[in-house]
Amino acid sequence: DVKVTQSSRYLVKRTGEKVFLECVQDMDHENMFWYRQDPGLGLRLIYFSYDVKMKEKGDIPEGYSVSREKKERFSLILESASTNQTSMYLCASSVARGTGNTIYFGEGSWLTVV
Amino acid sequence: GQQVMQIPQYQHVQEGEDFTTYCNSSTTLSNIQWYKQRPGGHPVFLIQLVKSGEVKKQKRLTFQFGEAKKNSSLHITATQTTDVGTYFCAGHLYGNKLVFGAGTILRVKS
C-alpha cells in the first residue's frame, strides 16, 4: 500500500512564526502536492512538484514556499504564519506525469495560527 | 478561471434513501476522478472515468461521465451509515491540471 506520512497531525503556532510541514512518501512517486482544505472551498492546490528540486505554483501559493531536496520528501513552509493560514493541510503523491493518475493523500495536518 | 462546481454542498438523508452529487466543469475534462473522505480522515480514491458517456458501478455506487465530458455524477442507492463523509470530484483538465470540486457532505440518519 502507498504510504504518505505527514509528520505533524496537530500544530498550534503563533502569528509570525516560521512553520514547517513535512511529508514523506514511500512509493517512489515522482509527483508530490500540497493542498489546503477549508469548509465550503474543497481542496485548493498550493504547490506541486514533478521532480527533485522542481516546484510549481498551484492556485494559492501566496504566503507559502516548498522544498523538495529528495524524491520522497516534500516540505511546505510558511515563512511568517498568519491567522488566515489556519487550515487543514494535505500532502499527496502520484506516480509519473500525465493525466489519470490516482492521487494518494496523507492523513492531514491541522494547523492553528493564533 | 477554470473551475469544477459541485452540488449540493450538504445533504442529510434517511438511511435507505438515495443520494446524488453532481459536478460541472466550465471546460472539457480529459477524465474525472471521485474521492471519499470519512469524517476526520483524508480523501481516498474511489474511481476514475475517462470515456464520454461512461458509467461505472461499485456495489451501490454509480458513477457517470457526461457525453460532453463536462459533467459527472455519483449516485448512491439505499444509503447506509457507512456512506457518511465528504465526496469530492476532481477533474483533469487537458494540460495535466487536476481541479477539485468543493465536495458534498453526506450525513445519514439511522
Side-chain angles (χ1 to χ4, degrees), chain A residues 9 35 37 40-43 50 59 88 90 97-103 105-107, chain B residues 9 30-31 33 35 37 40-43 45 48 88 92-93 96-98 100-102:
Chain A
R9 288 301 309 274
Y35 291 88
Q37 183 175 11
L41 297 177
L43 302 171
Y50 288 135
D59 297 317
M88 208 258 274
L90 286 162
R97 196 164 184 169
T99 61
N101 294 312
T102 302
I103 291 183
F105 286 90
E107 294 189 350
Chain B
Q9 185 175 353
S30 61
N31 62 68
Q33 299 176 351
Y35 292 78
Q37 183 177 25
H42 58 279
F45 175 81
Q48 176 176 284
F88 292 98
H92 253 121
L93 304 172
N96 200 31
K97 185 175 181 181
L98 184 66
F100 279 84

Side-chain angles (χ1 to χ4, degrees), chain A residues 39-74:
Chain A
L41 297 177
L43 302 171
R44 294 182 292 167
L45 182 64
I46 305 171
Y47 267 97
F48 60 102
S49 169
Y50 288 135
D51 202 352
V52 176
K53 296 191 184 295
M54 175 272 179
K55 60 184 179 184
E56 289 193 30
K57 292 180 180 180
D59 297 317
I60 52 164
E62 296 77 19
Y64 304 94
S65 62
V66 290
S67 172
R68 191 156 181 208
E69 296 296 318
K70 294 184 178 182
K71 189 176 185 179
E72 67 271 17
R73 188 178 297 271
F74 194 36

Side-chain angles (χ1 to χ4, degrees), chain A residues 6 8-10 88-91 105-110, chain B residues 41-42:
Chain A
Q6 295 182 230
S8 304
R9 288 301 309 274
Y10 302 96
M88 208 258 274
Y89 290 87
L90 286 162
C91 176
F105 286 90
E107 294 189 350
S109 297
W110 290 92
Chain B
H42 58 279

Side-chain angles (χ1 to χ4, degrees), chain A residues 8-27:
Chain A
S8 304
R9 288 301 309 274
Y10 302 96
L11 307 94
V12 179
K13 298 292 182 180
R14 294 193 181 279
T15 300
E17 275 193 78
K18 191 169 187 175
V19 181
F20 292 87
L21 299 180
E22 306 286 347
C23 175
V24 177
Q25 49 94 3
D26 66 358
M27 286 301 291

Side-chain angles (χ1 to χ4, degrees), chain A residues 11-16 78 81-86 111-114:
Chain A
L11 307 94
V12 179
K13 298 292 182 180
R14 294 193 181 279
T15 300
L78 287 67
S82 62
T83 54
N84 63 12
Q85 292 177 311
T86 292
L111 172 66
T112 301
V113 183
V114 297

